[in-house]
Amino acid sequence: MKTFNIKRILLGSLSLAIAVGLLVMSGIMPIPVFAQGMMGMRGMMGGMHGSDIQLVQQEGEYKALSIPPILEPDTADGNARHYTLTTQQGQTQFRQGTATQTLGYNGSFLGPTIVLKKGEDIQVRLQNRMQEETTVHWHGLIVPSEADGGPHQVIKPGADREVSFTVKQEAATLWYHPHPMGRTGIQVYEGLAGLLLVEDDSELGRDLPAQYGVDDVPLVVQDRSFTAGMQFDYYGTYNPDGMLGDTLLVNGTIHAAFDVTTQLLRLRLLNGSNARVYDFRLSDGSPFLQIASDGGLLNEPVALQSLRLTPGERAEILLSFKGMQPGGHLDLMSGDTNVLRLNVAGELAQNGSIPATLNNLAAAIDSGGVDRRFVLSGMGMMVSINGDIYDMNRIDEYGFTQTDEVWEVYNRPDMMGGMVHSFHLHGTQFRVLTRDGAAPPLNERGWKDTVAMDAGERVRLLVRFSEPGLFMYHCHILEHEDNGMMGQIEVKAK
Ligand code: C2O
Ligand code: CU
Ligand code: CU
């Protein structure tokens, strides 16, 4: 089974610990690395207890799913839109009783949904009203690197930063989150994330449900651990292989339910978790349709019985409730845990239809060559890409815009196995050419910016940049990213 394999992680950590010990004893490993190795091991030992944190099924009353508000522009003039996004501290009432100290954009937890249209000229004033540095990264958006919000675009506490870009891509479910050096994991964990939806005028997707919060519903799926005092327990449960929590939150709601009032329901799923991998399915085992991947609509709907999303990945799915018993319910699950209860109203309004064709993407052509190779390896604190730990001041790769490249990414297992990584690239959308030499599954044949990489797996990606600048590629398990499983490519305009 291709899931997070706990035993492998445990064994992997052990083998790494032994290996570090041997290297130190034999004097091969220099002291600074040794120190880091020991820290890593302590982290890993913590992780060995933390790594099997399972989701707990909530009991009792359901709570109405919270729907993030849509961000209104400050000004709209023709094609130009100006927005303000403020990063702030706050308190959030997740359960009755004590409120939790949280972070949010324009609010106390998560952020508003930003809806942009292809062709618009966007300006965003980013205000940092927290006590620490941050950046705002538009995950999946095709923008020049000055606007991308990577670790170089720091906004100091109290400071503002103005970014502008033109929306050049097709309709898609993207998202935004912080990306400061070494602090991405905790800032996302404490609440910094929001959705960014791109719309366009394509005729093909016209019939899809599109009433936000009614039949077109975003689901930011995250897991968290709380202390007895209802505070986020980031350090108490710290795991260098990625934070796993026992409590599932959807749009910040624990034990969420949604009232279905239409025959068709479009769900925009974001795995906004630091590390957890979800296998979404319906409680009655019935199939659903995936209509979009990270960067836009698939050419045709793909029928699935389960859908895996690793951290950072998105998918839009379509559920049909036509003919379902009124007053009944269906659960969106991940494994054995309820993600969202769907309560079906007495009478379901007819809405849209399921288009047979959703997009007209050309088949991705494999040149057969390899332009760049990336090897993901290690665990815990000792993760790397091509043997290197991220250094802001080192440019790892150089490339040009408007050039098709094949990237071969390999998740190198260690002696005892290894683990899944989630490979993400900034500044563009790519196509998956092959997975271990075979054509990718049907639902990975559209635009992607993040791909799941099982231990031992090799994927070939067709990458083309249209925007110049310095772009990150990294594992989207946020603690791996923070621990340096990241590199950067400088793309020059051709
Ligand atoms: Cu969603 Cu570099 O990140
Ligand atoms: Cu990104
Ligand atoms: Cu990773």
Side-chain angles (χ1 to χ4, degrees), residues 8-22 379 414-417:
R8 281 184 174 184
I9 294 169
L10 298 186
L11 292 170
S13 308
L14 269 181
S15 70
L16 202 51
I18 293 165
V20 169
L22 288 177
M379 308 252 310
D414 53 34
M415 294 181 309
M416 310 304 280

Side-chain angles (χ1 to χ4, degrees), residues 137 139 424 426:
H137 167 56
H139 179 131
H424 168 53
H426 288 209

Side-chain angles (χ1 to χ4, degrees), residues 2 18 139 220 314 458:
K2 294 193 168 184
I18 293 165
H139 179 131
V220 181
R314 287 89 62 213
R458 197 182 295 270

